[in-house]
Amino acid sequence: MVHGPTAGSPAAASDPSTPGTTAATAAAAATATSGVNGVNGVNGVNGANGPATGTTGAAPKDLPSVDRLLRDEAVTHLMARHGHAFVAGEARRLLEAWRRRAVEGTLAAHELRHLPAELERRCEQRLAPRMRRVINLTGTVLHTNLGRALLADEALQQVLACMGSPNNLEFDLARGERGDRDSLVESLLCEITGAEAATVVNNNAAAVLLGIAALAGGKEAIVSRGELVEIGGAFRMPDVMAAAGAKLVEVGTTNRTHARDYQAAIGPHTALLLKVHTSNYAIQGFTASVSEAALAPIARAAGVPLMTDLGSGSLVDLAQWGLPAEPLPQQMLADGCDVVTFSGDKLLGGPQAGLIVGRKDLVQQIRKFPMKRALRLSKLPLAALEATLRLYLRPDRLTQDLPTLRLLTRPVDQIEAQADRLLARVQAAVAPRFAVRVSTMRGQIGSGSLPVETLPSAGLVLTPQLPGKRGVGRALDELQTALRALPLPVIARVQSDELWLDLRCLDEAREEAAFIEQLGLLKESLA
């Protein structure tokens, strides 16, 4: 069974959502056991007519009123901290729950002395954040479920500086008049990609939706049958096109599409040729596709724009660091694409955003489309995006300044050294139930980027110590649960009936010490 931190432990004091009694609630409980207004005092929660402690059951009448509970000196500090309305509401819900238990006969009299402490615990739990920092030891750098790209320090500082004060989101400081929020990043995007113009929306699916709606709404858009992708959450390209009001015209087959297929499909109602980068899967073997460079002349001859969706959105050639190459917006524009869309929170390393770059007249058409306002980027991600894009003006420092690239290019020997350093500590925390060894591993870039490519890595492998296969799954589930229940939850992966802790993403300067510090709590949980 997985247990939370013990009362008064550092983890318990730091994370109110962790099971167990916190240091604060322990102090409240101690206060509540003495004094005139204490739980057992004359005027306290359990007054002169309260039940005896021990195994005696508590009756509904033994419970105090909300008003009496709030007057207890072990509770008054809660109202000073959180206000009367919030604490009173929690007190009311707590008393209702305990009254039901009393009616059912499951409430012991001795529990009543802990009523103030339980109220404090409930208040802390209600106010604990749902979105929490975690340690990613899955081996997937851009993990969709764990928030994808980590923001650079410069982006975090920009967000803090601009979100706590009025800012020039839509105000032109030079002219002293209303401005356009796109102008905060448009010149940067144009400089980096070579585009004539740029606009941004709240994610890449929105960028594709808006681009198709603005350029091909009510008309035909041609796309290869092999590029009708489905992305996370069952969002499918045909559905996106339908929502945009375009009529889908499929060409080619699942594995082979030729230039003549596009040429044959172009008609009087054709408004757009669409290319979709299949970034989350790969078709191998007997295949053929038409590149943007080959398709651009066909689009120009027909007088229709060519739009390509790159999805993952790398702005630099990853091959220079020995990583698999991804198509770049710069190259797509140079090859003749009129509009290119890509993500901000994948390989680019910024916040969630959909970036649209390309021909000035087409970007302007997209920007003026009514749907744009509903999909526009808010001030918080826009501040982070601007700061992230500025980092690309100093390409020689990207692997230092941009967390995504820093993690992707982290040397394997450095990861192996970290694994050797942590081996004994982790073994001490999980012994004797699990054996631990250092192992080479293969990780992933993630978030639909380079689906068949893996990254060499290293980490720790935890193996259940059981006489046979029976109980292995249960042991691994318990270990994962214990790791997730830590004050700073640890997310790992199960592979081949073992738990793998891939250390590529365990930052030596920012996370390693915190990981080590809570291993004692892990040991207690597994005891």
Side-chain angles (χ1 to χ4, degrees), residues 278-356:
T278 54
S279 59
N280 61 353
Y281 73 97
I283 299 177
Q284 298 176 326
F286 187 58
T287 64
S289 61
V290 185
S291 68
E292 281 81 357
L295 196 54
I298 297 174
R300 283 197 298 271
V304 296
L306 170 61
M307 173 174 153
T308 187
D309 167 29
L310 291 185
S312 54
S314 178
L315 289 178
V316 290
D317 183 7
L318 300 178
Q320 63 184 297
W321 296 292
L323 296 167
E326 276 274 280
L328 306 179
Q330 299 94 311
Q331 187 59 52
M332 294 297 98
L333 293 171
D335 286 345
C337 288
D338 299 298
V339 175
V340 181
T341 68
F342 51 100
S343 294
D345 61 343
K346 295 181 182 177
L347 290 174
L348 191 149
Q352 177 178 297
L355 288 71
I356 305 172

Side-chain angles (χ1 to χ4, degrees), residues 138-157:
T138 65
T140 301
V141 177
L142 295 170
H143 200 301
T144 298
N145 304 132
L146 302 182
R148 292 184 177 168
L150 309 181
L151 291 182
D153 288 341
E154 289 82 352
L156 295 173
Q157 292 166 9

Side-chain angles (χ1 to χ4, degrees), residues 75-417:
V75 174
T76 53
H77 73 286
L78 290 178
M79 289 188 289
R81 191 190 317 163
H82 303 306
H84 180 276
F86 172 76
V87 178
E90 290 303 308
R92 189 172 295 108
R93 281 185 283 272
L94 174 59
L95 288 170
E96 288 172 356
W98 281 31
R99 191 165 286 109
R100 285 193 298 270
R101 290 182 57 201
V103 171
E104 295 166 358
T106 60
L107 181 65
H110 68 82
E111 292 184 70
L112 297 180
R113 73 181 65 177
H114 302 300
L115 189 56
E118 177 62 15
L119 176 59
E120 180 163 6
R121 188 194 68 79
R122 287 176 66 106
C123 288
E124 291 174 348
Q125 191 172 45
R126 279 293 307 279
L127 295 172
R130 296 291 299 274
M131 180 181 286
R132 296 171 56 191
R133 175 187 168 201
V134 303
I135 293 178
N136 175 16
L137 301 187
T138 65
T140 301
V141 177
L142 295 170
H143 200 301
T144 298
N145 304 132
L146 302 182
R148 292 184 177 168
L150 309 181
L151 291 182
D153 288 341
E154 289 82 352
L156 295 173
Q157 292 166 9
Q158 176 87 345
V159 169
L160 288 174
C162 292
M163 295 307 105
S165 305
N167 55 69
N168 63 323
L169 176 65
E170 290 186 350
F171 186 80
D172 189 322
L173 292 174
R175 298 182 178 181
E177 60 188 29
R178 182 185 178 91
D180 184 346
R181 65 179 64 197
D182 280 356
S183 66
L184 298 173
V185 295
E186 183 174 20
S187 61
L188 283 167
L189 282 168
C190 290
E191 180 177 355
I192 295 167
T193 66
E196 295 178 3
T199 187
V200 291
V201 289
N202 54 29
N203 61 36
N204 189 53
V208 175
L209 175 69
L210 178 61
I212 295 173
L215 302 179
K219 297 183 180 180
E220 295 177 350
I222 299 175
V223 63
S224 168
R225 189 169 280 112
E227 297 173 5
L228 294 175
V229 302
E230 178 181 304
I231 61 175
F235 291 97
R236 299 177 173 181
M237 181 56 68
D239 297 335
V240 172
M241 296 180 72
K247 180 182 178 181
L248 168 64
V249 177
E250 301 178 30
V251 297
T253 62
T254 301
N255 62 320
R256 294 177 68 82
T257 301
H258 305 281
R260 61 178 179 272
D261 295 322
Y262 289 96
Q263 291 171 319
I266 294 174
H269 301 295
T270 301
L272 183 69
L273 299 189
L274 179 64
K275 285 282 292 179
V276 182
H277 179 49
T278 54
S279 59
N280 61 353
Y281 73 97
I283 299 177
Q284 298 176 326
F286 187 58
T287 64
S289 61
V290 185
S291 68
E292 281 81 357
L295 196 54
I298 297 174
R300 283 197 298 271
V304 296
L306 170 61
M307 173 174 153
T308 187
D309 167 29
L310 291 185
S312 54
S314 178
L315 289 178
V316 290
D317 183 7
L318 300 178
Q320 63 184 297
W321 296 292
L323 296 167
E326 276 274 280
L328 306 179
Q330 299 94 311
Q331 187 59 52
M332 294 297 98
L333 293 171
D335 286 345
C337 288
D338 299 298
V339 175
V340 181
T341 68
F342 51 100
S343 294
D345 61 343
K346 295 181 182 177
L347 290 174
L348 191 149
Q352 177 178 297
L355 288 71
I356 305 172
V357 298
R359 262 173 46 188
K360 186 174 183 178
D361 60 326
L362 296 179
V363 172
Q364 186 67 3
Q365 185 176 338
I366 292 170
R367 183 183 285 128
K368 289 185 175 181
F369 195 73
M371 190 186 293
K372 169 65 161 63
R373 183 173 179 84
L375 303 175
R376 68 181 183 178
L377 201 59
S378 72
K379 61 182 180 180
L380 193 153
L382 194 54
L385 178 61
E386 181 198 357
T388 302
L389 292 174
R390 284 202 307 268
L391 298 179
Y392 283 86
L393 302 181
R394 303 182 299 180
D396 295 337
R397 289 189 52 85
L398 277 176
T399 55
Q400 302 171 57
D401 298 338
L402 197 64
T404 296
L405 279 179
R406 185 169 66 241
L407 295 174
L408 289 175
T409 60
R410 190 179 177 196
V412 175
D413 57 357
Q414 184 185 96
I415 306 173
E416 290 173 342

